[in-house]
Amino acid sequence: MNKQIIRSRAPLRLGLSGGGTDVSPYCDEYGGAVLNATIAMYAYCTIEPLEEDKIIFVAADRDEYYEGELNRQLEYDGLLDLHKGVYNRVVASFNQGKPLACKVTTYSDALAGSGLGSSSTMMVAILTAFVEWLRLPLGEYEIAHIAYEIERLDIGLTGGRQDQYAATFGGFNFMEFYAEERVIVNPLRVKNWIIHELNSSMVLYYTGVSRSSAEIIDQQIEHIESGDSRSLDATHQLKQDAFDMKESLLHGNMSRFAEILGRSWDAKRKLATKISNKEIDDLINRAKNAGAYAGKVSGAGGGGFIMFLVNPVEKLNLVRMLEKEPGKVVNFHFEKNGVQSWTIV
């Protein structure tokens, strides 16, 4: 008898504009708006049901391994907490509290702290694999919301709301965030020629520096809660940039898109002290000297991936310049689909 295997993959995302406005308390009080797009880099999950009464979690890319007795609830201790969080919620909410004997193996195309939403994307991939295995009647909004609750509330990891929805829905999305965790995802019908132009105009560079987004976001939250006018005004600007960038994207106005990208980076740097540093500032300035219109760190900031916009005829010059830097230029293209799952029997 063949062994059943369940697999899933969820796409990582580029935060194009509005990142930071999806974080409480800002979005609860003022409403947030984010423009993002998923790319063909993924978080992967495989579930193998076990006959033995045990639970095994493996993060192959992180060399982390957990094996324990069959249990209804697993304790969070910093080792594979994302896996434990999904398992705990699925058992409690969708399996009548009955433990599940299984082996869950994951890996990601991007490291945690890369600025591509890797942790939340992994959460969506794991949850969707369980949804596939147990045939749970959950739609896209429900999967994204539950993934958000597990990561932010159950496990207690600080962060925004956009990543779980981007990974679940996929494609180019304009997202709105409101009080009481209300989210509206507006899928954008971006013409193919515009997507091709954006792909041709964009360079993605990995700095090689992983950072804790929670630490940066905690400082951002602190500034908003204290009524820091500089940080609040910058967050208002980021929200407006998301609306403006959406319009420029749908019209294929790349020069305007680049202008807003640069403006957004200037605003984002005002949210918290660790969002940028001398190395990042210097790199973006050198990239501009090599032909880039603008550059912006994806995600919370502090390292990870930087996206640059450049005239396609100048792209190779920029790539050659970046290849002399310590980091790495990463080839990518946009992904229209969200999380997907399938079963092998």
Side-chain angles (χ1 to χ4, degrees):
M1 178 175 159
N2 289 336
K3 190 176 178 182
Q4 184 186 37
I5 298 174
I6 300 92
R7 301 198 202 280
S8 67
R9 76 172 192 184
L12 298 161
R13 63 99 187 100
L14 288 177
L16 299 174
S17 192
T21 71
D22 59 324
V23 178
S24 295
Y26 180 85
C27 62
D28 302 325
E29 188 169 346
Y30 302 100
V34 169
L35 176 67
N36 58 34
T38 48
I39 59 176
M41 294 172 65
Y42 307 92
Y44 303 87
C45 178
T46 294
I47 296 179
E48 300 170 78
L50 299 177
E51 293 181 6
E52 311 97 299
D53 288 342
K54 62 181 178 181
I55 302 164
I56 300 172
F57 296 144
V58 182
D61 53 340
R62 297 166 66 93
D63 292 325
E64 292 182 355
Y65 180 91
Y66 167 87
E67 183 172 337
E69 297 177 0
L70 201 58
N71 213 320
R72 295 172 62 175
Q73 292 290 290
L74 307 175
E75 289 187 17
Y76 303 125
D77 57 6
L79 176 64
L80 298 170
D81 282 348
L82 298 183
H83 302 60
K84 292 173 182 174
V86 175
Y87 175 89
N88 286 346
R89 175 64 77 94
V90 168
V91 166
S93 299
F94 303 106
N95 208 48
Q96 294 81 48
K98 298 172 187 172
L100 291 160
C102 59
K103 179 180 181 181
V104 179
T105 305
T106 61
Y107 65 96
S108 176
D109 288 333
L111 297 170
S114 63
L116 301 180
S118 53
S119 297
S120 302
T121 303
M122 181 59 73
M123 180 70 75
V124 168
I126 299 170
L127 177 58
T128 302
F130 274 99
V131 169
E132 172 81 14
W133 179 23
L134 302 177
R135 296 290 187 262
L136 302 178
L138 299 177
E140 291 167 323
Y141 273 102
E142 291 164 304
I143 288 172
H145 179 68
I146 292 168
Y148 165 79
E149 283 192 333
I150 296 169
E151 188 174 1
R152 304 289 177 239
L153 306 180
D154 297 359
I155 304 174
L157 299 174
T158 305
R161 292 164 165 78
Q162 67 161 308
D163 297 350
Q164 296 87 355
Y165 288 87
T168 305
F169 282 82
F172 286 81
N173 289 294
F174 182 77
M175 302 181 182
E176 301 168 72
F177 303 91
Y178 299 102
E180 300 177 352
E181 296 178 10
R182 189 164 68 92
V183 181
I184 300 171
V185 178
N186 304 283
L188 301 182
R189 296 181 63 181
V190 184
K191 291 183 172 65
N192 282 334
W193 76 262
I194 296 175
I195 296 174
H196 296 328
E197 181 67 12
L198 188 57
N199 243 326
S200 300
S201 305
M202 194 171 278
V203 174
L204 197 57
Y205 174 81
Y206 181 54
T207 62
V209 178
S210 175
R211 79 290 177 273
S212 168
S213 60
E215 192 177 336
I216 295 170
I217 294 170
D218 281 338
Q219 189 181 47
Q220 178 186 323
I221 291 170
E222 185 183 319
H223 288 169
I224 296 295
E225 287 179 338
S226 67
D228 181 285
S229 59
R230 183 173 185 263
S231 184
L232 187 59
D233 289 346
T235 313
H236 288 332
Q237 180 64 61
L238 287 169
K239 183 168 76 170
Q240 184 58 51
D241 286 346
F243 284 92
D244 294 346
M245 187 179 276
K246 176 188 71 168
E247 186 177 338
S248 68
L249 176 67
L250 291 173
H251 287 93
N253 188 337
M254 287 300 120
S255 59
R256 177 74 172 140
F257 188 98
E259 179 189 329
I260 299 165
L261 189 76
R263 190 174 76 197
S264 271
W265 175 237
D266 290 339
K268 192 171 184 67
R269 291 167 73 244
K270 297 173 184 175
L271 299 187
T273 54
K274 293 186 177 180
I275 284 175
S276 192
N277 53 48
K278 187 177 186 300
E279 288 76 19
I280 291 174
D281 289 343
D282 287 349
L283 179 65
I284 290 176
N285 285 332
R286 288 199 298 278
K288 287 179 179 177
N289 290 335
Y293 295 135
K296 175 183 173 290
V297 177
S298 180
F305 279 87
I306 304 177
M307 61 187 108
F308 295 99
L309 217 65
V310 63
N311 185 325
V313 298
E314 299 290 338
K315 188 173 184 176
L316 196 55
N317 291 337
L318 176 59
V319 168
R320 284 172 176 157
M321 171 251 143
L322 290 170
E323 284 176 341
K324 295 175 184 175
E325 300 293 326
K328 179 184 177 185
V329 175
V330 176
N331 290 321
F332 79 100
H333 62 268
F334 292 103
E335 164 65 87
K336 291 184 178 182
N337 296 310
V339 66
Q340 296 176 301
S341 60
W342 59 98
T343 302
I344 302 167
V345 181

